[in-house]
Amino acid sequence: MSELTKIILGLAIGLSSVYSLLIWSSLKGGKDISIYLIGIAINVLIALWFWYMATRRTGDPQDGMGLGPIMLICGLITILIPLICVIVYFIRRF
């Protein structure tokens, strides 16, 4: 298994567990889950956009720099969205 595949698999398992716990706990407490569904949608859109950028053959946006900066930005956003959802959950909880 390649390093990128391990990273993607770990990220998918982590995001799935975080969002499933947030949604399960919110439904159990009678709270609205729309903010978590929006977070999931944003994460999926970022993943699809990165996949599109990584598989494009022409028009490299970085002019030969590679996908490192784009991967860093997408990774940070992918981590920040669930973190914001967890913060919103604790604010609504208490």
Side-chain angles (χ1 to χ4, degrees):
M1 189 181 295
S2 72
E3 190 71 26
L4 182 61
T5 306
K6 289 179 185 177
I7 292 171
I8 292 171
L9 182 63
L11 193 60
I13 290 171
L15 288 175
S16 297
S17 62
V18 166
Y19 281 122
S20 63
L21 286 173
L22 289 175
I23 290 173
W24 175 75
S25 182
S26 292
L27 286 176
K28 189 175 176 183
K31 303 282 185 186
D32 186 31
I33 63 167
S34 61
I35 187 78
Y36 311 126
L37 296 177
I38 292 170
I40 291 170
I42 291 171
N43 278 326
V44 168
L45 288 175
I46 288 172
L48 289 174
W49 181 78
F50 180 74
W51 179 55
Y52 168 73
M53 293 300 289
T55 57
R56 256 183 1 169
R57 297 254 184 231
T58 59
D60 185 12
Q62 298 296 316
D63 290 319
M65 288 177 54
L67 290 171
I70 294 174
M71 186 189 221
L72 180 66
I73 292 169
C74 290
L76 286 174
I77 293 171
T78 301
I79 300 291
L80 286 176
I81 297 296
L83 185 64
I84 291 170
C85 288
V86 168
I87 291 169
V88 167
Y89 170 77
F90 281 119
I91 289 173
R92 288 173 44 186
R93 179 102 174 165
F94 301 113

